[in-house]
């Protein structure tokens, strides 16, 4: 017996967009989120402004949440996860463990929207001292400070005068095994650099990069204004270590344009950590029996022209569960996955009745 409900696992921007799109085209969705709130990384990590224009993240994501929670065709299960899957494409049964214990959820198709996790900068990149020096932080730590309108050195609570970003931490790194580019960190670091310059106009802000990857419109929307309007200093170079020097940090490396060693003192160092598959993405992929790529993201089995199909019929994926993605990529793939899932169910229903 086939079922006309789509289960969406993960209630971040991807899962929210997928669930709402299913409802918009007349389908039924069950949205399963492990946390006790919806919104994914932008809410959990307290993002400040979002690219490219820096509008506050929370109200924008809350609008997505409201659309989903107000829709009668979407059932939301918070604090819940999937522990078992049985059945077949068109008629799956998921065991969903939530606050009321284990409950079966019948669905014809599944969308995996379990997202990403930040690269842990203590893992194999200890030379930057993330766990050693309180004034070495990561992109998401700075997002939380920016949203609280309080950018300070954690060591002394004072606003920093000199801040730098180190790009590609945990990405584009063969030794670590993450050869891929995390796609969003050049734009996010530049956006955060602009926000610091606006909040602390006397500060000096540097971005140390291998090469800046601002794809599409982010080049003129973020990169050029960061330099020309906000005077962020971009330095092409490799940072090899961060050391303590008095009550400041010494950032040491090579300026690759000038071909000479460099040492600069900083008050705050921000590591532009990359994206890795979330533990949920790895676990749900295994549970559903869908193929993962060598990095643990879900393999887009349909290739570039069908990017939301997985190796298992009736199971689709979207957003950062498929690999590094910004919000625009995420909601686009989520809408695509919703349409694919609903049309999969409708074509099966038509085959049965017709
Ligand atoms: C520091 C930083 C700043 C960023 N800023 C921007 C920006 O300004 N603009 C932009 O376009 N992009 C930005 N991004 C990228 C943006 O965060 C992602 O594009 C977006 O969060 C991806 O959405 P998602 O729904 O795919 O994944 P996520 O946001 O990771 O959401 C996944 C959801 O699934 C849930 N989940 C995971 N496992 C399970 C499970 N087993 N069962 C149930 N639920 C589960 C999680 O709890 C979470 O709610 C930023 C990224 C970083 C790292
Ligand atoms: S987006 Fe930029 S910082 Fe992030 S991995 Fe790619 S090149 Fe490095």
């Amino acid at each position: 017996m086939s079922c006309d409900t789509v289960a969406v696992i993960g209630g971040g921007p991807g899962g929210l967009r997928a669930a709402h799109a299913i409802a918009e085209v007349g389908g039924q969705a069950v949205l399963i989120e492990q946390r006790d709130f919806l919104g994914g990384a932008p809410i959990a990590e307290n993002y400040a402004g979002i690219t490219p224009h820096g509008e506050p993240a929370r109200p924008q994501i809350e609008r997505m949440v409201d659309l989903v929670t107000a829709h009668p065709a979407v059932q939301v299960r918070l604090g819940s996860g999937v522990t078992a899957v049985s059945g077949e494409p068109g008629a799956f049964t998921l065991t969903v463990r939530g606050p009321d214990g284990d409950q079966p959820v019948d669905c014809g198709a599944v969308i995996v929207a379990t997202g990403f996790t930040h690269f842990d900068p203590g893992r194999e990149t200890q030379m930057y001292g993330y766990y050693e020096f309180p004034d070495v932080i990561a992109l998401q730590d700075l997002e939380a400070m920016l949203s609280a309108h309080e950018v300070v050195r954690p060591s002394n609570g004072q606003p920093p005068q000199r801040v730098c970003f180190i790009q590609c931490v945990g990405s584009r790194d063969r030794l670590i095994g993450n050869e891929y580019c995390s796609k969003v960190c050049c734009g996010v670091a530049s956006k955060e650099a602009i926000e610091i310059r606006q909040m602390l106009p006397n500060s000096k802000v540097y971005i140390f990069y291998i090469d800046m990857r601002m794809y599409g419109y982010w080049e003129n929307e973020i990169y050029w204004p960061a330099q020309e309007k906000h005077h962020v200093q971009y330095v092409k170079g490799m940072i090899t270590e961060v050391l303590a020097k008095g009550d400041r940090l010494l950032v040491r490396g090579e300026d690759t344009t000038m071909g000479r060693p460099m040492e600069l003192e900083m008050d705050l160092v921000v590591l532009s950590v990359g994206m890795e598959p979330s533990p949920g993405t790895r676990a749900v992929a295994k549970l559903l029996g869908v193929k993962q790529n060598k990095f643990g993201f879900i393999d887009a089995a349909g290739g570039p022209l069908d990017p939301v199909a997985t190796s298992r019929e009736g199971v689709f994926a979207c957003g950062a569960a498929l690999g590094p993605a910004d919000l625009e990529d995420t909601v686009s793939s989520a809408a695509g996955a919703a349409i694919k899932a609903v049309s999969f169910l409708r074509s099966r229903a038509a085959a049965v009745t017709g």
Side-chain angles (χ1 to χ4, degrees):
M1 174 77 177
S2 109
C3 172
D4 65 356
T5 297
V6 181
V8 180
I9 309 176
L16 288 167
R17 182 69 194 109
H20 188 240
I22 291 161
E24 271 180 318
V25 296
Q28 299 284 324
V30 177
L31 179 60
I32 301 157
E33 166 58 48
Q34 66 185 4
R35 293 186 171 115
D36 56 9
F37 59 89
L38 296 170
I43 297 297
E45 308 278 2
N46 266 309
Y47 288 1
I50 53 175
T51 55
H53 304 303
E55 292 99 350
R58 185 171 284 274
Q60 294 191 70
I61 302 291
E62 279 174 356
R63 271 199 294 279
M64 295 179 82
V65 171
D66 290 346
L67 284 174
V68 165
T69 50
H71 207 296
V74 184
Q75 223 190 89
V76 177
R77 306 279 182 96
L78 293 177
S80 300
V82 179
T83 56
V85 181
S86 59
E88 57 188 54
F92 292 114
T93 299
L94 310 183
T95 304
V96 175
R97 182 163 297 165
D100 303 324
D102 284 357
Q103 289 184 345
V105 168
D106 293 328
C107 58
V110 179
I111 296 178
V112 183
T114 42
F116 75 100
T117 191
H118 305 277
F119 175 78
D120 175 359
R123 203 185 85 209
E124 302 182 50
T125 46
Q126 300 91 336
M127 69 275 196
Y128 299 136
Y130 182 74
Y131 291 112
E132 199 178 337
F133 307 125
D135 295 337
V136 177
I137 62 173
L139 278 183
Q140 67 276 19
D141 305 323
L142 181 56
E143 284 290 333
M145 284 189 192
L146 288 163
S147 1
H149 301 284
E150 198 176 37
V151 175
V152 292
R153 301 177 66 188
S155 65
N156 63 9
Q158 295 301 310
Q161 290 167 0
R162 295 169 65 82
V163 182
C164 76
F165 291 80
I166 301 176
Q167 298 304 104
C168 298
V169 176
S171 310
R172 303 178 65 199
D173 190 328
R174 288 189 179 184
L175 289 176
I176 291 172
N178 289 352
E179 292 104 336
Y180 55 88
C181 166
S182 287
K183 216 169 171 181
V184 302
C185 10
C186 277
V188 170
S190 299
K191 176 217 70 140
E192 291 185 1
I194 292 173
E195 290 172 307
I196 293 179
R197 289 279 305 132
Q198 287 172 325
M199 215 173 274
L200 303 171
N202 293 325
S203 60
K204 283 203 178 325
V205 181
Y206 299 82
I207 297 185
F208 297 114
Y209 66 96
I210 305 174
D211 37 46
M212 285 310 280
R213 296 191 168 172
M214 294 286 200
Y215 61 108
Y217 299 130
W218 285 15
E219 182 84 9
N220 65 304
E221 288 173 332
I222 307 174
Y223 180 57
W224 291 113
Q227 293 182 72
E228 291 168 354
K229 189 163 166 219
H230 302 282
H231 309 293
V232 174
Q233 314 277 323
Y234 286 81
V235 182
K236 190 171 171 70
M238 294 286 291
I239 301 303
T240 48
E241 57 185 342
V242 176
L243 306 162
K245 186 173 182 199
D247 74 338
R248 282 189 146 169
L249 296 164
L250 184 71
V251 174
R252 187 177 274 168
E254 189 194 343
D255 179 327
T256 47
T257 307
M258 305 303 283
R260 63 181 182 207
M262 65 176 164
E263 282 192 353
L264 286 153
E265 286 184 28
M266 294 289 157
D267 295 319
L268 191 65
V269 172
V270 187
L271 305 180
S272 290
V273 291
M275 295 168 100
E276 291 190 323
S278 70
T281 292
R282 293 178 193 271
V284 167
K286 279 204 186 75
L287 199 64
L288 290 167
V290 301
K291 216 172 136 200
Q292 293 162 266
N293 66 22
K294 70 178 201 173
F295 308 113
F297 290 107
I298 290 175
D299 198 38
L305 299 183
D306 185 8
V308 297
T310 72
S311 59
R312 186 164 186 195
E313 195 187 12
V315 180
F316 305 89
C318 67
L322 284 164
D326 71 357
L327 288 166
E328 219 174 309
D329 297 338
T330 296
V331 296
S332 309
S333 65
I339 298 304
K340 292 279 292 187
V342 171
S343 41
F344 169 74
L345 295 183
R346 289 192 181 152
S347 59
R348 288 179 71 92
V352 172
T353 53

